[in-house]
């Protein structure tokens, strides 16, 4: 089961999303994390923090969890 994360815009970038779920605090930490580890976005490995996430996208972060973007 995915934890649902609400956004109130049409999309959110992967970097903003990671800060929103409170696993990393700064943009620099997010950049380093994505360069080193990355995240699965709809089952594709992604290293770009500017990747746009839209409602119903599934984001999986190793050792953190699985999340679904929903629009409020």
């Amino acid at each position: 089961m995915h934890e649902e994360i609400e956004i109130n815009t049409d999309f959110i970038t992967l970097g903003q999303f990671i800060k929103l779920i409170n696993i990393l605090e700064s943009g620099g930490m997010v950049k380093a994390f994505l360069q080193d580890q990355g995240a699965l976005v709809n089952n594709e490995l992604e290293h770009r923090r500017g990747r746009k996430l839209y409602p119903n996208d599934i984001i999986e972060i190793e050792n953190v969890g699985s999340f679904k973007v929903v629009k409020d």
Side-chain angles (χ1 to χ4, degrees):
M1 191 70 189
H2 312 293
E3 181 180 343
E4 293 188 349
I5 305 297
E6 288 187 8
I7 62 171
N8 56 11
T9 56
D10 291 335
F11 66 87
I12 187 171
T13 66
L14 182 57
Q16 291 171 326
F17 181 83
I18 290 174
K19 287 194 286 186
L20 179 67
I21 60 174
N22 289 320
I23 60 166
L24 297 170
E25 297 169 8
S26 73
M29 291 172 72
V30 169
K31 182 178 180 180
F33 172 81
L34 287 173
Q35 284 177 343
D36 294 343
Q37 184 172 335
L40 285 177
V41 177
N42 300 325
N43 291 318
E44 295 179 15
L45 187 59
E46 184 61 70
H47 293 281
R48 297 173 298 159
R49 61 190 165 142
R51 164 75 185 258
K52 292 179 180 176
L53 306 176
Y54 296 94
N56 298 317
D57 280 350
I58 304 295
I59 298 85
E60 296 177 57
I61 301 174
E62 191 175 337
N63 299 320
V64 177
S66 179
F67 305 92
K68 181 177 182 177
V69 178
V70 294
K71 184 152 168 104
D72 74 7

